[in-house]
Amino acid sequence: MKHLLSLETLSVADFEAIFGRVPTFKQNRGHHARPLSGQTWALIFSKSSTRTRVSFEVGLRELGAEVLFLNANDIQLGRGEPIQDTARVLGRMIHGVVIRTFAQSDVDQFAQFSGIPTVNALTDDEHPCQILTDIYTFQERRRESIGGKVVTYVGDAACNVPASWIFAAARLGFELRLAAPAGYQPADSLLRRAGGTQGPALPGTPTGTTCWYFASGAKVIVTPHLNWAATGADLLYTDVWISMGKESESAERLRQLEGYQINGNLLKRAKSDALVMHCLPAYRGKEIDAETLEAHADTIFSEAENRLHVQKAIVDWMIS
Ligand code: CP
Ligand code: NVA
C-alpha cells in the first residue's frame, strides 16, 4: 500500500508516475475513470485550509468517492483520543484519508495504524502535495524539466514548504537557493537527512552562504543574501512569513523577515522568463508585493488550480 507522507521517500520514478497521470485528469475532467467508486474517504483537518480542502473534496468526488470532512476538534481526537486509536477505528470504516495537522508523527502513525492510504495535506514539517503541484506547474508552463534549473525560495526557509522543496531538489537534481535570515534557515540535520553533504562554496557566493551537494547533482544553497540568490533564477517562490501555529511569534517574524520579499526589484535579477509562484494564501506587502503578485496571477492561480488535478493523480498513483 502506498501513502504520501513526505517527499523524502519518493523516487524519481514515483514523481514521473504521478506527473504522467495529471494530463488525463486535467484534460478529461468529468469524463475520466472513477477508480474510487463505492469508497468513502475522510479529510481530517486540525488547521485552516481553502485550496487543500476544496481540491481534495472535489477531486475525491470526481474520482468516485464519498467524502467526509472531519474538523479534528469535532471528533474525539480533539479531546485527546490517541491518533493510533482514531486510525484503527477509521481504518475499519473508510478507504483512505487526507490529514492536515501539526505533528508529522501524527500522519506517520495514522498510516501505520489505519492500514489505509494516507495523504499528508500539510504538517509542521512538510507540504508534499503543494510542492508536487508546484513542480508540475513549473514544468507545464515552461514545457521542460525542472532538472538543472535554479529555484529561489525567499522568506521563512525553516517551515514545511521549503522542507518539501529540499527533498524534491535532492531527488530531481535542480539548484535550490533558500534566501532567509539566520533563525529562519533549514536545520543542517534536515539537509543531511535529504542526502546532502556540505561542501565548498560556489565561486562568487557571498559570505554567510552554505552549499550542500547531492548525488542527483542537486545543490541546495542557504544564504541570507536574497539579491544574490535571485540572480539568474528560473523560478522565484515564496510562502507566508507566519505559518499556521506560529501566530504567537508574529511580531518577531515581521521584524526578522522584513525585506525577504518578492518584488519588482528582486525579479529584475532573475532570468527574463522567470516564473513567480506562491503556494497561497498571500500577504501582500509582506512576502510578495501586490504588483508582482498581480503581474504573475495567471501562473499563481494556475498553480492553485493544479492542486486539484495533481492530487487526483497522487490518489490514483497511491491506489494503483
Ligand atoms: N496552499 C495551501 O495549502 O492552501 P490552503 O492552506 O488554503 O489549503
Ligand atoms: N507554511 C504555510 C503554508 C500554508 C499553505 C503554513 O504552514 O501555514
Side-chain angles (χ1 to χ4, degrees), residues 47-48 100-102 122-127 153-163 184 237-254 257 278-281 283 286-287:
K47 291 176 174 173
S48 304
R100 169 167 284 201
T101 191
F102 295 86
L122 181 147
T123 62
D124 290 346
D125 290 6
E126 271 206 68
H127 198 359
Y153 176 100
V154 176
D156 174 13
C159 73
N160 40 20
V161 165
Y184 297 89
Y237 189 102
T238 190
D239 178 16
V240 295
W241 287 348
I242 303 161
S243 284
M244 292 180 279
K246 299 289 186 191
E247 292 78 6
S248 65
E249 301 173 9
S250 294
E252 180 65 7
R253 284 173 170 264
L254 293 180
L257 288 159
H278 191 312
C279 60
L280 301 175
Y283 290 83
K286 303 287 191 302
E287 74 278 358

Side-chain angles (χ1 to χ4, degrees), residues 131-188:
I131 280 59
L132 278 165
T133 304
D134 298 335
I135 293 170
Y136 182 84
T137 305
F138 178 90
Q139 297 188 154
E140 178 186 51
R141 292 185 89 82
R142 291 285 293 259
R143 297 176 188 278
E144 57 183 339
S145 163
I146 200 165
K149 296 287 183 290
V150 175
V151 175
T152 298
Y153 176 100
V154 176
D156 174 13
C159 73
N160 40 20
V161 165
S164 292
W165 271 108
I166 289 169
F167 289 126
R171 199 66 76 224
L172 299 179
F174 53 89
E175 181 173 324
L176 176 64
R177 301 177 184 165
L178 300 165
Y184 297 89
Q185 298 180 345
D188 289 356

Side-chain angles (χ1 to χ4, degrees), residues 48-53 100 127 130 244 279-281 307:
S48 304
S49 173
T50 300
R51 282 143 288 272
T52 309
R53 175 178 175 173
R100 169 167 284 201
H127 198 359
Q130 179 70 54
M244 292 180 279
C279 60
L280 301 175
R307 296 292 303 279

